[in-house]
Amino acid sequence: MPRANANGAVVTRFAPSPTGHLHAGGARTALFNWALARSQPGGRFLLRMEDTDRARSQAALAESILADLRWLGLDWDGEPVFQSARTPHYQRAIAELLAADLAYPAFETPGELDAMRGKAREHSPGGGFSYHRPPNWDRAAALAKAEAGAPHVIRLHLAAVLALCGAEREIFAVEDQVLGTVEFAADALDDFVLQRQDGGVTYHLAVVVDDDAQGVTHVLRGQEHLANTPRHQALQRALNLPRPHYAHLPVIQNPDGSKMSKRDREKGIAVDIEDFRRQGVLPEVLLNFLALLGYSPGEKLPDGRDLERFNREHLLRHFSLARVGRGNARFDRSKLAAFNQDSIAALPPAEFKAHWTTWCNRYAEDAWSAQAQKMGEARRALFLQALQPRSKSLADLTALDGPGAFALLKTHEFAYDEKAVSKWLRRGEPSGLERLRELRPLLAELAHFDPESIEAAVAGFCEARGIGLGKAAQPLRVAVTGGASSPPLGITLAILGQTETTARLDRCLAEIGGAQNSARKDSA
Ligand code: GLU
């Protein structure tokens, strides 16, 4: 019988193993469980740390998973449950199964098991090895031997569990809320291990006991767990527990079709939530993007395209398992970057500033961010105003190759783009350099060095000479940024400030003007 709460409310859980940081796949699982619970009246979303692997689990990793969930805005109900604190519950379940002869001690050493596997392979090459209790097994002797302290594991007695069922389908058919009915072959299970030799219980035993203890009604997890579900159904039958609904979520693939995995991280590709945070992705953008890894709102935009951009409220209003697909989901990083850029540009300026400041406080380990932070209130406001529509990410503002680099490099640190120099400074009669010589005193003596005053002064200069604005603005841009594209001229110069602008004009006139002078002399 599938589990339903008395009040019909949905209870979901996210059950990460704190053996690594929260990665995109885990976050997607958390998000779907959260969305299902939060989209239902009275729904609850619970957390469980599956830290039974004592050697690999770390408290700091559990903490970082919680921090990343908070950052994504995935709030949970109650306190997280730690499996390491629940040993007595698992032992009780094991004792119950042993007493009913639904589980039993097995004494093979790892070496003996290897030999059994080898024999099975010889018998049917390619076929798997299944462990089943021999028919002539002496229960009393085995229990006594275990009691006396002989090393052993505890295995499920599958044949006995199947004998309890009306039909084997009860165990071997998974009624999946996303995939439909998935049938497993009757040889898909054997007498799998419930308790290891060291007394620790396996994932399968713990997950079934805990899903019941936490009153979980819906288990949403990655498709890699689908083959585990018959095991869990067998244990639910053995322990006489109600069965939650299962929904297995699509596999997440890289654009080249390979399965996205933690190993991608070794190639320098962002996989962990922390990687995306560091890259300067907004949390609501990542949430939107993760939601699309399997879910689609099924709405069309006026131009006929699928609606893909939505916020948390929209997701909660519309989320349902019926809208989760079966096919593999593509992790399209260019789509994430485009979402992020658009969302950054659309933020109210105060929110943009808040997001950026938070990002700097966490990741500003280099002098660049510190410099941007030190700019002073007025210039920083201009810097943010100019950079917001030009930034692909929060990190872009202080990136060495980003649109804000011109403001963070020192007078002599930036390089001149050769093409821009020859087009805007060397060519023409009078040349851009000559215009710069005239503009320098005008800008150096400007009483107010704000964007409007600068624009007005440069416009007046051009008007007086009957030339287009570009003839002055482009040489100035190249002189102070090194290249021909930057935010609007007035704001670009105001961000630098009057002293720095003048210093950069002097550098340009000396370096490029000087080179030109000597080149002319050489050719004369
Ligand atoms: N600890 C398991 C994992 O991280 C949880 C699997 C489940 O949801 O049952 O994959």
Side-chain angles (χ1 to χ4, degrees):
M1 260 307 276
R3 170 187 289 275
N5 277 358
N7 62 2
V10 161
V11 179
T12 64
R13 49 57 166 193
F14 176 51
S17 307
T19 53
H21 290 283
L22 183 64
H23 54 83
R28 191 272 309 261
T29 298
L31 169 60
F32 283 35
N33 278 289
W34 173 86
L36 184 66
R38 294 281 180 259
S39 62
Q40 308 280 322
R44 285 167 62 74
F45 171 58
L46 310 177
L47 283 193
R48 181 168 76 229
M49 289 293 163
E50 302 211 321
D51 59 346
T52 48
D53 183 344
R54 302 303 292 152
R56 291 173 59 228
S57 299
Q58 291 177 28
L61 288 172
E63 232 354 279
S64 100
I65 291 172
L66 299 182
D68 283 340
L69 289 172
R70 272 189 217 105
W71 178 76
L72 280 166
L74 303 181
D75 58 328
W76 57 90
D77 294 300
E79 289 299 317
V81 165
F82 283 78
Q83 286 190 329
S84 53
R86 293 187 40 78
T87 307
H89 300 275
Y90 308 138
Q91 282 172 346
R92 210 171 305 133
I94 295 278
E96 190 186 314
L97 293 173
L98 282 171
D101 198 23
L102 293 168
Y104 61 93
F107 301 92
E108 288 83 4
T109 62
E112 285 166 339
L113 282 172
D114 275 347
M116 289 163 81
R117 275 189 207 104
K119 242 203 195 131
R121 257 198 306 275
E122 264 170 40
H123 234 69
S124 72
F129 163 68
S130 309
Y131 187 108
H132 292 282
R133 183 164 113 177
N136 56 354
W137 197 77
D138 183 343
R139 179 166 185 252
L143 291 178
K145 187 173 167 184
E147 187 72 20
H152 64 277
V153 300
I154 304 289
R155 290 179 178 273
L156 184 79
H157 185 196
L158 183 67
V161 179
L162 291 176
L164 296 175
C165 300
E168 289 194 353
R169 283 191 89 257
E170 205 184 302
I171 307 295
F172 292 104
V174 176
E175 304 296 343
D176 192 281
Q177 304 270 302
V178 167
L179 302 170
T181 304
V182 183
E183 307 261 4
F184 285 83
D187 63 2
L189 295 193
D190 68 353
D191 289 0
F192 56 94
V193 175
L194 305 178
Q195 185 171 33
R196 291 182 295 264
Q197 224 185 70
D198 65 4
V201 295
T202 57
Y203 154 69
H204 302 301
L205 191 274
V207 83
V208 164
V209 169
D210 288 344
D211 281 341
D212 176 64
Q214 292 187 285
V216 171
T217 62
H218 290 71
V219 171
L220 277 53
R221 59 187 177 193
Q223 249 176 51
E224 67 274 16
H225 285 293
L226 179 62
N228 289 329
T229 306
R231 290 189 178 83
H232 301 169
Q233 297 191 151
L235 272 168
Q236 282 146 358
R237 189 69 190 81
L239 290 162
N240 201 21
L241 301 176
R243 180 179 294 174
H245 295 285
Y246 285 101
H248 291 89
L249 307 175
V251 172
I252 303 177
Q253 290 183 327
N254 291 312
D256 68 3
S258 61
K259 185 173 185 285
M260 186 171 155
S261 80
K262 291 202 146 241
R263 272 186 300 280
D264 289 316
R265 211 165 173 260
E266 287 150 28
K267 300 179 211 146
I269 301 173
V271 173
D272 289 350
I273 298 310
E274 170 63 19
D275 301 333
F276 297 103
R277 288 179 76 168
R278 180 178 295 278
Q279 285 184 351
V281 176
L282 297 174
E284 50 271 35
V285 170
L286 195 56
L287 195 86
N288 178 181
F289 182 76
L290 292 173
L292 289 171
L293 297 173
Y295 164 79
S296 77
E299 282 176 53
K300 294 279 181 201
L301 294 166
D303 66 6
R305 285 181 304 142
D306 290 335
L307 172 84
E308 286 193 314
R309 305 206 184 182
F310 44 81
N311 60 18
R312 177 182 314 264
E313 288 69 40
H314 185 279
L315 177 67
L316 293 187
R317 260 200 318 279
H318 299 279
F319 186 84
S320 86
L321 288 176
R323 299 233 50 86
V324 177
R326 304 166 184 211
N328 296 339
R330 277 284 151 103
F331 199 88
D332 180 350
R333 286 161 205 278
S334 54
K335 182 186 274 190
L336 174 61
F339 277 24
N340 203 40
Q341 177 157 23
D342 292 350
S343 299
I344 284 179
L347 280 177
E351 271 181 47
F352 172 64
K353 183 181 174 190
H355 276 295
W356 180 69
T357 309
T358 307
W359 184 89
C360 282
N361 288 340
R362 193 174 162 93
Y363 299 107
E365 65 262 295
D366 54 17
W368 284 59
S369 302
Q371 207 172 320
Q373 290 286 47
K374 270 198 300 219
M375 256 177 203
E377 196 54 46
R379 279 176 51 214
R380 192 166 55 243
L382 289 175
F383 177 73
L384 292 179
Q385 182 192 332
L387 272 290
Q388 186 177 352
R390 290 174 171 75
S391 295
K392 293 193 189 69
S393 72
L394 299 172
D396 228 11
L397 278 79
T398 48
L400 263 169
D401 53 356
F406 77 92
L408 303 166
L409 288 166
K410 299 207 176 71
T411 321
H412 289 273
E413 280 177 346
F414 65 92
Y416 295 107
D417 171 50
E418 244 334 294
K419 265 203 195 125
V421 166
S422 77
K423 177 166 182 194
W424 295 108
L425 297 184
R426 299 203 204 276
R427 249 183 249 160
E429 210 37 79
S431 71
L433 274 169
E434 281 160 71
R435 298 284 184 215
L436 287 186
R437 281 195 195 94
E438 295 177 78
L439 282 158
R440 191 213 177 270
L442 182 78
L443 292 169
E445 281 149 31
L446 207 59
H448 299 285
F449 209 72
D450 54 75
E452 297 71 33
S453 309
I454 296 167
E455 300 271 359
V458 176
F461 173 91
C462 294
E463 217 175 284
R465 284 157 185 78
I467 57 172
L469 201 60
K471 290 266 196 278
Q474 288 306 83
L476 280 170
R477 258 205 186 89
V478 178
V480 302
T481 70
S485 61
S486 81
L489 182 71
I491 218 173
T492 301
L493 301 192
I495 288 168
L496 294 170
Q498 196 160 26
T499 316
E500 180 63 16
T501 296
T502 316
R504 289 187 183 199
L505 289 177
D506 289 341
R507 174 192 164 194
C508 177
L509 288 169
E511 262 179 49
I512 298 181
Q516 190 186 44
N517 290 344
S518 49
R520 274 195 187 158
K521 265 181 230 141
D522 291 347
S523 62

